[in-house]
Amino acid sequence: MDVRKLQKIVVAALEDIKGKDIEVINTTRLTSLFDRIVIASGDSNRQVKALARNVQEKVREAGGEVVSVEGEEN
């Protein structure tokens, strides 16, 4: 999947659940491990978990692969 398309899907998924302070950082020149970092915040633990869940669902629906998820219990 094209990184720009994936970025749009992720940002849209965060906006759907009212994610705040959404920031996309282009890291292509910093590391070869990944191309983008997307950061967002929420008002409560419940909302942050919903944000993460929604991003995973939308990426999978678009045919993308979610390799791993970290920090769900926090």
Side-chain angles (χ1 to χ4, degrees), residues 9 16-18 23 26-28 34 40 49 51-52 54 60 64 68 70-72 74:
I9 292 167
D16 284 348
I17 310 290
K18 307 291 188 237
E23 179 112 11
N26 185 341
T27 59
T28 53
F34 43 85
K49 288 178 183 182
L51 288 166
N54 196 42
R60 286 186 180 121
S68 99
E70 297 291 330
E72 280 191 333
N74 296 328

Side-chain angles (χ1 to χ4, degrees), residues 25-65:
I25 302 169
N26 185 341
T27 59
T28 53
R29 293 192 173 113
L30 300 175
T31 181
S32 61
L33 296 175
F34 43 85
D35 293 327
R36 303 284 191 278
I37 296 174
V38 181
I39 302 170
S41 61
D43 291 326
S44 66
N45 286 341
R46 176 181 270 179
Q47 183 188 18
V48 172
K49 288 178 183 182
L51 288 166
R53 215 172 17 254
N54 196 42
V55 168
Q56 291 175 63
E57 289 172 8
K58 298 297 182 181
V59 168
R60 286 186 180 121
E61 286 174 8
E65 180 183 4

